[in-house]
Amino acid sequence: MLHLRLITPAEKTDDVVRLIEGTIGTTHLCVLPGAARNPAGDVVMCDVAREAGDDLLSGLQRLGLDTTGSIAVENIDLSLSRRADRAEEEAPGESADAVLWEHLTDATHEESTLSVTYLAFLTLATMIAACGVVLDNAILIVGAMAVGPEFGPLAGISTAAVQRRPRLALRSMTALLVGFAVAMAVTVGFSFFMDAVGLFSQEQLDADRPQTGFVYAPDWFSFVVAVLAGTAGTLSLTSAKSGALVGVAISVTTVPAAANAAVALSYGDTVQTWGSTEQLLLNLLGIMLAGTLTLLAQKRLWARQHERLRKRARA
């Protein structure tokens, strides 16, 4: 269930209440006339089944409540109410499958911001991966994958493509490209430093690396895994199963490939540099493609669900 707290101008309160009452899957409606001070107006609260949440939010936006008032949405972790149970039963579909498009857009917008923290995490992940590829240590590679925050911009690009949000696309692409450029540049300097103190060497990079050699040897399995991971990551965002993102992060070769390219570049090894770059681009493409197709499928599915919901509401 979702909890909605609305601030509505007095002249729009009746329209808002009618919309809520006419939406299947809503309950616990409260109206507090004149309770809001900034902005001034009435406070309207209700609970709604997650499956019906996107349709209700769209209706509230059509009433202009996002510009003249306020719409706040919270997840309800526990609700002991027979009315709430009945509301969830009435709403079509399953709550775990529901997509809140505004929430997804807002979340990906935040995750795809080019910030100091984002750059720091991506750079640190790339340097950890650099140690992993030189030492042929799979544990370090997995750790670097888990630290890397690059899935946020990738999800932002997919969301922008489906929702037709060019600003989000530009923001996400900027974070992705600038982030990897900065991370790889710093890692090149890190590699020079590690070589100078005797911790990295050309011989280690050129040696057989059974645990990490895959990072500069792209193949079709790389693309297949990236597509599967992109699908899983997108589903984890839309269904609020954020814990699955850790599994997604450690299943794709983005940060390790960038790290290997940076270390190889510092030694002038063009073969490994190009192979790692191909691996990086192949994984990024697979994730973005899978994320976009997954969101398109979900959008089509929930368009049908919403149409059934509207028909039931009119009946």
Side-chain angles (χ1 to χ4, degrees):
M1 293 290 287
L2 302 171
H3 177 69
L4 271 63
R5 186 186 72 251
L6 315 173
I7 297 179
T8 172
E11 64 273 13
K12 291 188 176 182
T13 300
D14 290 342
D15 293 333
V16 169
V17 170
R18 277 194 295 269
L19 174 64
I20 294 173
E21 291 178 334
T23 301
I24 292 176
T26 59
T27 187
H28 303 156
L29 176 61
C30 301
V31 181
L32 305 176
R37 292 293 180 267
N38 184 21
D42 303 331
V43 173
V44 179
M45 294 180 289
C46 71
D47 295 341
V48 59
R50 185 180 174 88
E51 315 81 293
D54 190 66
D55 200 46
L56 178 57
L57 291 174
S58 298
L60 293 171
Q61 288 178 299
R62 285 193 295 270
L63 291 175
L65 207 60
D66 53 331
T67 56
T68 60
S70 170
I71 304 173
V73 183
E74 299 174 329
N75 282 306
I76 300 176
D77 295 327
L78 176 64
S79 179
L80 302 178
S81 168
R82 290 186 179 179
R83 290 181 178 274
D85 293 340
R86 188 161 56 247
E88 288 190 317
E89 290 172 0
E90 292 174 349
E94 296 294 332
S95 60
D97 299 331
V99 181
L100 297 177
W101 291 101
E102 285 300 323
H103 178 268
L104 177 63
T105 301
D106 185 68
T108 51
H109 183 278
E110 181 179 350
E111 292 294 325
S112 61
T113 300
L114 183 62
S115 62
V116 174
T117 301
Y118 168 81
L119 288 175
F121 272 117
L122 189 56
T123 301
L124 290 170
T126 307
M127 290 192 291
I128 293 171
C131 296
V133 296
V134 172
L135 297 175
D136 193 35
N137 189 314
I139 295 177
L140 290 176
I141 292 295
V142 171
M145 289 175 170
V147 172
E150 73 279 6
F151 189 79
L154 291 170
I157 293 171
S158 297
T159 302
V162 174
Q163 293 292 86
R164 299 179 182 179
R165 302 285 181 96
R167 289 187 178 180
L168 177 59
L170 179 60
R171 187 187 191 97
S172 301
M173 188 63 72
T174 300
L176 190 67
L177 297 179
V178 174
F180 271 111
V182 170
M184 292 174 71
V186 173
T187 303
V188 169
F190 175 70
S191 180
F192 281 130
F193 170 78
M194 295 293 279
D195 181 79
V197 298
L199 295 177
F200 281 7
S201 69
Q202 179 79 51
E203 290 73 22
Q204 287 175 300
L205 186 69
D206 293 338
D208 290 335
R209 290 187 278 147
Q211 298 294 323
T212 61
F214 67 92
V215 300
Y216 61 89
D219 54 25
W220 279 108
F221 278 106
S222 302
F223 184 74
V224 169
V225 171
V227 169
L228 296 175
T231 303
T234 303
L235 288 174
S236 72
L237 287 178
T238 57
S239 64
K241 302 293 183 182
S242 57
L245 281 177
V246 177
V248 171
I250 62 177
S251 61
V252 289
T253 317
T254 50
V255 167
N260 198 82
V263 175
L265 183 62
S266 71
Y267 285 109
D269 188 336
T270 56
V271 174
Q272 287 201 39
T273 299
W274 179 243
S276 300
T277 303
E278 284 185 327
Q279 180 77 276
L280 173 62
L281 295 176
L282 194 63
N283 276 269
L284 295 178
L285 176 62
I287 294 171
M288 287 188 289
L289 179 62
T292 302
L293 293 177
T294 301
L295 289 176
L296 285 173
Q298 289 182 295
K299 191 170 187 177
R300 185 172 183 180
L301 173 65
W302 278 98
R304 294 178 179 177
Q305 294 280 19
H306 288 166
E307 184 59 31
R308 290 208 299 267
L309 185 65
R310 294 187 189 100
K311 288 181 179 178
R312 289 178 58 182
R314 290 194 295 266

